[in-house]
Amino acid sequence: MAALGWLSPRRRSATARSVLAGEASAEAARKSTQEDTGTATAGEEPDFPVHGDDRAAAFFDLDNTVMQGAALFHFGRGLYKRKFFETRDLARFAWQQAWFRLAGIEDPEHMQDARDSALSIVKGHRVSELRSIGEEIYDEYMAERIWPGTRALAQAHLDAGQKVWLVTAAPVEIAQVIARRLGLTGALGTVAESIGGVYTGRLVGEPLHGPAKAEAVRALAAAEGLDLSRCAAYSDSHNDIPMLSLVGHPYAINPDSKLRKHARELEWRLRDYRTGRKAAKVGIPAAAGVGAVAGGTAAAIALHRRRR
């Protein structure tokens, strides 16, 4: 921590939380790979990666990079269906997600409120229960939303003998389910504290977002003996520029307008797997995000009422 002495106390605290979150996520990811292995469906292989380079790996953002939409929102829909919380809580959660996209900024107080709401839902539940439910939710809401093009990129790295990791702000348990279902090596995700296998309602560090993702990748690379200059990273969001900037092979996948501009300036590779109509909306991601969240919320509530 001595190296952070030049920062203000507030900045030091935020940086320390990012480092803690990154290290906790890396530890959880490595621990999970000791238990889970698998292979994914093969896809078309691009020119990169280099075969036989065991000091290289690939890191994939999840939301809108590997999967259409937000994993946390789909997970929330699944928990709502299982009566973990009420309709008003789902509406509030959807509004918070829409606000983040619409405002384009991350107000600390607003984010803390959203974070506390999500943690209160799982507090007192067993980790094993959430993992089991995550398997069901993947089949219900997520499997059909995987981008085939991005999955093919991930498979190319696996075929080259490299490890492939998801890196997401979603809970590490659901991230690990998705990684295993896709045959990936493992996942870095937000780590919620648990004691005796039961969630306490607190986080270890902070959500794995922005700089925390970069810290997680850095920690995992050090533990795995990887050379980041030979690694690749893939994301759709400008929030992941810190992670993308760590590696020698950054890719902008289905990029938002800020990432697209940044990628073009630095001559990063770009790939867009959306339809022409969706790709045209890249300049107005806020409106698209609000529509997606509001539509998803309305659908979940309508389906729940219809089944009563």
Side-chain angles (χ1 to χ4, degrees):
M1 294 297 293
L4 304 179
W6 61 274
L7 296 173
S8 67
R10 184 175 180 180
R11 289 285 302 280
R12 275 202 304 273
S13 177
T15 302
R17 289 197 302 272
S18 292
V19 172
L20 179 60
E23 291 177 347
S25 186
E27 182 181 353
R30 295 193 75 223
K31 191 177 297 183
S32 71
T33 58
Q34 295 173 3
E35 304 169 358
D36 297 331
T37 58
T39 56
T41 303
E44 182 180 352
E45 181 178 304
D47 296 334
F48 179 80
V50 177
H51 286 255
D53 188 354
D54 59 3
R55 294 200 64 201
F59 302 93
F60 284 79
D61 168 55
L62 177 58
D63 297 347
N64 294 316
T65 301
V66 171
M67 182 180 69
Q68 300 174 53
L72 186 58
F73 177 63
H74 296 311
F75 190 52
R77 289 176 65 190
L79 293 181
Y80 169 75
K81 177 182 176 181
R82 290 160 177 79
K83 300 183 179 180
F84 270 65
F85 52 93
E86 302 296 325
T87 300
R88 63 177 179 273
D89 297 315
L90 182 65
R92 180 188 181 199
F93 174 72
W95 166 245
Q96 288 167 338
Q97 299 304 304
W99 189 90
F100 291 152
R101 290 179 178 270
L102 183 62
I105 57 175
E106 296 170 350
D107 177 71
E109 185 176 345
H110 202 115
M111 289 188 71
Q112 183 66 47
D113 184 42
R115 187 182 313 163
D116 291 345
S117 297
L119 287 169
S120 67
I121 292 171
V122 300
K123 182 179 180 180
H125 288 274
R126 298 197 65 81
V127 175
S128 58
E129 177 188 9
L130 268 292
R131 283 178 175 160
S132 177
I133 290 174
E135 298 279 355
E136 299 172 3
I137 292 175
Y138 177 83
D139 290 328
E140 292 171 0
Y141 299 115
M142 300 178 182
E144 64 182 12
R145 291 179 168 84
I146 301 299
W147 291 108
T150 312
R151 186 171 183 178
L153 288 173
Q155 185 62 40
H157 284 278
L158 293 170
D159 290 344
Q162 298 175 5
K163 293 182 177 180
V164 178
W165 305 84
L166 290 182
V167 189
T168 174
V172 68
E173 290 80 14
I174 189 65
Q176 289 169 351
V177 168
I178 297 170
R180 185 170 53 76
R181 289 298 194 93
L182 295 178
L184 309 184
T185 307
L188 296 156
T190 297
V191 179
E193 182 185 74
S194 63
I195 297 178
V198 177
Y199 290 112
T200 65
R202 295 186 294 270
L203 290 183
V204 178
E206 62 181 21
L208 204 69
H209 176 77
K213 279 190 177 182
E215 293 295 343
V217 169
R218 198 192 314 273
L220 184 62
E224 294 277 311
L226 300 173
D227 181 348
L228 285 171
S229 69
R230 289 145 72 172
C231 293
Y234 301 78
S235 179
D236 73 299
S237 172
H238 69 280
N239 291 315
D240 288 338
I241 287 175
M243 177 181 75
L244 294 169
S245 299
L246 277 182
V247 301
H249 302 278
Y251 281 76
I253 303 292
N254 306 327
D256 61 28
S257 57
K258 290 183 180 179
L259 178 58
R260 182 180 291 272
K261 179 181 178 182
H262 188 84
R264 283 175 172 166
E265 289 174 351
L266 296 184
E267 297 184 345
W268 290 355
R269 300 182 186 183
L270 289 93
R271 292 176 184 265
D272 203 320
Y273 298 118
R274 297 166 293 190
T275 63
R277 181 171 177 272
K278 288 182 179 178
K281 294 182 179 179
V282 73
I284 49 169
V290 171
V293 171
T297 303
I301 293 174
L303 282 171
H304 179 72
R305 289 176 175 171
R306 193 175 302 156
R307 289 170 179 170
R308 277 182 165 178

